[in-house]
Amino acid sequence: MSFKTENKNIELQRAIVRTVAYFDMFDFPLTDFEIWKFVNLKCNLLDAQRALKKLSPEASELSFLQSKNGFYFLKGRSEIIDKRLKKYAYTDRKFKRAMRIAKIFKFIPWIKMIAISNIIGAHNLRDESDIDFFIITKTKKIWLTRFFCSSVAQTLGLRPKKGDERDKVCLNFYVGEEAMNIKNLMLGTEQCSVRKNSDDIYFKYWLINLVPIYDAGNTYKNFIRENNWIKNYFPNWRLVQTERRRYFKKGFSLFNVLNLFNGLESVFKKLQLRLMPKNMKKLMNKDTRVVINNNVLKMHVNDRRSEYNERFSNKLEEIIKNS
């Protein structure tokens, strides 16, 4: 084996450990295919599998990882396998509920795409969690879309409240189709820890784990094309192919009468800005937590990305210390 090849193998092993460590924060063990898909280094699946064997030798004091039932996890963390399997049932229930809600929202004529967005890894939703929707709208229709989505959710009792979040729908992120490249919504360097490996890793995983459940006019494919930069971080990742039972396309809308509101975007913008909570107004456009304009409505007052970055750095340091 050449020195160059050996260095490449070591680099891949380190990248795999970082990947498994990240998902460990969410109690989510990974299969070899998932590790290959999420690792931030270009390689083929066979190379990843070979690296995993070196990282998880049986009964070795030197192993970083362990494997069981087809899953890989940090050494001593086998209990998260059961947690992942339990989450599968929770996620299946939430997907069915999300589909029912999205089938109502599809009648709002300005919606181009609805995706479930609080999934880190497949089938990884907690039983008590709400369901986050990421919505792409037609150009210059973002305020109209938000108004009618929020009104429908409020009328049907779908909005999460403190102590009552289970299976409710969170509607805090809208992007107009003219602003689908969302790279500028990552945390700025001043918001990220200066420590190594602490860039906005959560946002990157958030993007590639979006699961579209409603798509008009191949909007999801266009969205990924606009965010092609993400492949620099995940070169092995490919466009998600959603299961047919968890996806539907645009049908005939009985509510095209809503198009009568087309010229009232500015009116609905003023109305919603007036009703916006004070804490959200205070954070508005200060950084990428709360971004509010005519193209993007990102309203994450409790944005935990910096916390996840710090936790990830701590976890990597702990692994190195104990190795």
Side-chain angles (χ1 to χ4, degrees):
M1 180 186 295
S2 70
F3 179 73
K4 185 175 180 181
T5 302
E6 185 177 356
N7 278 347
K8 187 176 180 181
N9 290 337
I10 292 172
E11 187 180 1
L12 176 57
Q13 289 173 32
R14 288 173 177 168
I16 286 173
V17 171
R18 288 196 300 269
T19 303
V20 175
Y22 179 80
F23 283 89
D24 180 78
M25 294 195 302
F26 305 96
D27 294 332
F28 197 78
L30 297 168
T31 65
D32 54 5
F33 179 79
E34 289 168 336
I35 290 170
W36 169 76
K37 181 173 66 172
F38 292 132
V39 76
N40 64 338
L41 198 66
K42 181 70 175 175
C43 65
N44 58 50
L45 179 58
L46 185 59
D47 287 336
Q49 290 169 333
R50 287 169 177 163
L52 282 166
K53 285 183 179 179
K54 291 184 178 180
L55 287 165
S56 56
E58 291 295 326
S60 172
E61 296 269 340
L62 301 175
S63 60
F64 285 91
L65 309 180
Q66 290 179 308
S67 64
K68 183 180 178 182
N69 300 336
F71 294 111
Y72 289 85
F73 44 88
L74 294 180
K75 190 174 180 179
R77 289 278 287 159
S78 61
E79 72 275 8
I80 66 175
I81 295 176
D82 287 339
K83 291 182 179 181
R84 170 170 177 167
L85 296 176
K86 285 180 181 178
K87 287 177 183 177
Y88 185 94
Y90 304 150
T91 302
D92 197 56
R93 184 190 75 237
K94 290 176 188 293
F95 261 103
K96 290 174 182 176
R97 181 168 173 80
M99 289 287 290
R100 290 195 295 269
I101 296 169
K103 283 178 180 178
I104 299 171
F105 281 7
K106 77 171 185 176
F107 294 122
I108 299 172
W110 313 291
I111 293 181
K112 299 286 291 182
M113 186 189 88
I114 301 172
I116 300 177
S117 65
N118 56 341
I119 302 178
I120 296 297
H123 308 102
N124 190 37
L125 290 172
R126 294 175 294 112
D127 183 36
E128 68 274 16
S129 69
D130 56 16
I131 305 165
D132 284 358
F133 275 5
F134 172 66
I135 296 175
I136 296 179
T137 78
K138 288 185 178 180
T139 301
K140 300 187 186 303
K141 295 294 182 291
I142 197 167
W143 290 99
L144 277 166
T145 303
R146 178 179 182 263
F147 176 82
F148 283 100
C149 284
S150 298
S151 297
V152 169
Q154 187 69 36
T155 301
L156 298 179
L158 300 173
R159 299 299 299 273
K161 299 176 183 177
K162 192 170 183 179
D164 183 23
E165 298 177 346
R166 186 174 182 263
D167 294 352
K168 297 300 175 72
V169 62
C170 186
L171 300 166
N172 286 338
F173 203 166
Y174 302 78
V175 169
E177 60 182 339
E178 73 277 25
M180 288 196 294
N181 187 336
I182 57 174
K183 187 176 183 179
N184 64 337
L185 297 179
M186 288 200 295
L187 291 176
T189 53
E190 72 283 355
Q191 296 166 268
C192 288
S193 168
V194 295
R195 296 158 66 183
K196 193 176 181 182
N197 300 315
S198 292
D199 61 345
D200 197 352
I201 188 170
Y202 183 90
F203 187 87
K204 296 168 188 173
Y205 276 114
W206 173 90
L207 195 159
I208 64 171
N209 280 289
L210 287 172
V211 180
I213 56 174
Y214 170 66
D215 187 4
N218 292 315
T219 301
Y220 177 66
K221 187 180 290 186
N222 295 334
F223 171 74
I224 295 300
R225 187 182 299 119
E226 287 292 321
N227 291 282
N228 197 51
W229 52 268
I230 197 65
K231 293 181 181 177
N232 294 328
Y233 299 99
F234 304 105
N236 306 318
W237 177 81
R238 294 294 180 268
L239 198 72
V240 67
Q241 186 64 44
T242 308
E243 297 175 40
R244 285 183 177 273
R245 67 191 180 95
R246 290 181 172 174
Y247 176 82
F248 61 94
K249 293 188 177 181
K250 190 173 181 65
F252 175 71
S253 173
L254 298 176
F255 292 91
N256 279 335
V257 66
L258 292 181
N259 282 315
L260 296 172
F261 292 91
N262 271 334
L264 300 175
E265 175 78 356
S266 60
V267 174
F268 281 88
K269 174 184 177 180
K270 290 177 183 177
L271 173 64
Q272 290 172 84
L273 285 174
R274 191 179 304 126
L275 297 173
M276 197 164 285
K278 289 182 180 179
N279 61 338
M280 193 173 293
K281 286 183 179 179
K282 186 177 180 180
L283 292 173
M284 186 169 69
N285 299 328
K286 299 290 185 183
D287 50 45
T288 59
R289 291 173 295 171
V290 178
V291 179
I292 296 174
N293 55 52
N294 293 333
N295 306 315
V296 176
L297 297 175
K298 182 182 179 296
M299 298 164 287
H300 296 142
V301 174
N302 185 28
D303 191 321
R304 299 179 62 191
R305 286 180 289 168
S306 293
E307 175 192 334
Y308 288 131
N309 291 342
E310 189 69 19
R311 283 176 57 191
F312 183 53
S313 288
N314 291 338
K315 186 169 287 291
L316 291 179
E317 288 182 4
E318 183 182 348
I319 291 170
I320 293 170
K321 182 179 178 181
N322 294 330
S323 63

